[in-house]
Every structure is written in structure tokens, then in C-alpha cells.
Amino acid sequence: MDEMDWALLAELQANARLSFSELSRRVHLSPPAVAERVRRMEEAGVITGYHAQVDLARAGRPVIAFIRMSCYGSHCVLRDPGLLEWPELRELHRITGDACSVLKVATESMTAFERLIDRLAPYGQPSSTMVLSTPLAHRPVTGPG
């Protein structure tokens, strides 16, 4: 990736709805050249999708937490593909250390959060940390140096 690719990524991360015409104006490259570079980054897997950022609290899920799971062998939460369908689950990370995974979850209430903890208990020992605020919710990826 060169400087122009990074410039395009910066613009797309700030606003993925920009047209190729507007992108070309911002990075000083022709619209066909912009379209080709974006297509190449998509095909290479650098750009994996275009998404709306959602405020979880305003969308009705103000209780946000990280849950560390210490699982028991074959009952590990990471081995259950059905977990990926749980609407409370926002992120799932396999980690090193004394736990096997960290889940980011968002629920509509503390009661719903408690029910979620109960649903996770058969997989192993859940340990939760509540999010009080998020000073940095999204940081764009930038180029080297």
C-alpha cells in the first residue's frame, strides 16, 4: 500500500458513503483511478466492508460490558457457533493468558445483562467489567510513520 491508498482509507474511514467523485476531489486523483484502487483494496481484503457506526445506548442497549471467559475444554464458548447469533454479542476475541476469550456485550438493562451471564455460565467462569464511558470509540487505521 502506498500513500495514496492510505489517503483513500483515511477518507473512507471518516465517511464510507463518499462517492468516487468526491473521493477523487479529496485525494486529487481521477474517479476511475480511485475506483480501481478501492476495488483492489477490497479484493485484497484490506477493506472488509462498509458499516454504519451505531450508538448502542441510543439504540436501546445502554449496558455495555466486557466479559472474560475461562472455559472448560470441549465446552468452550469459542466452540459454539450458535453464540455468534446472540444479539447481545458485539465482539468476540480469543486471547492469551488465564482466560480463553473476551466478549464485548450490550444489553437493554442490568436484568438482561444478568440473564446473559447466566446463559454464559455453562461454558465456564465469566468475569465481567462494566463500561462506564468510552472516550475513544473508533480509531481509524493509519499508514506507517
Side-chain angles (χ1 to χ4, degrees):
M1 292 196 22
D2 63 16
E3 281 187 41
M4 185 57 65
D5 290 334
W6 284 109
L8 287 166
L9 279 179
E11 294 294 340
L12 287 171
Q13 288 178 94
N15 183 355
R17 297 181 69 179
L18 292 174
S19 67
F20 288 145
S21 296
E22 180 61 20
L23 275 171
S24 74
R25 187 186 69 71
R26 292 182 182 202
V27 299
H28 310 291
L29 199 63
S30 73
V34 165
E36 176 60 23
R37 283 177 174 265
V38 170
R39 184 189 61 73
R40 275 190 304 205
M41 286 190 283
E42 290 170 345
E43 288 176 353
V46 173
I47 297 174
T48 59
Y50 300 89
H51 312 279
Q53 290 183 17
V54 176
D55 182 309
L56 291 169
R58 291 182 185 204
R61 295 184 183 248
V63 178
I64 302 166
F66 290 94
I67 302 171
R68 292 170 43 100
M69 291 296 299
S70 298
C71 296
Y72 305 122
S74 64
H75 296 319
C76 181
V77 72
L78 293 170
R79 295 191 175 149
D80 184 350
L83 182 83
L84 301 178
E85 304 302 319
W86 293 14
E88 304 91 348
L89 184 63
R90 307 308 317 144
E91 298 175 13
L92 174 60
H93 303 275
R94 184 176 182 190
I95 62 170
T96 62
D98 60 348
C100 69
S101 59
V102 172
L103 295 69
K104 180 180 180 183
V105 300
T107 63
E108 63 272 6
S109 66
M110 285 302 291
T111 302
F113 179 74
E114 188 175 357
R115 285 192 306 264
L116 176 63
I117 292 293
D118 290 343
R119 284 174 42 211
L120 286 169
Y123 295 100
Q125 179 70 37
S127 174
S128 62
T129 302
M130 303 306 295
V131 174
L132 299 177
S133 67
T134 305
L136 178 62
H138 173 76
R139 172 173 275 165
V141 177
T142 59

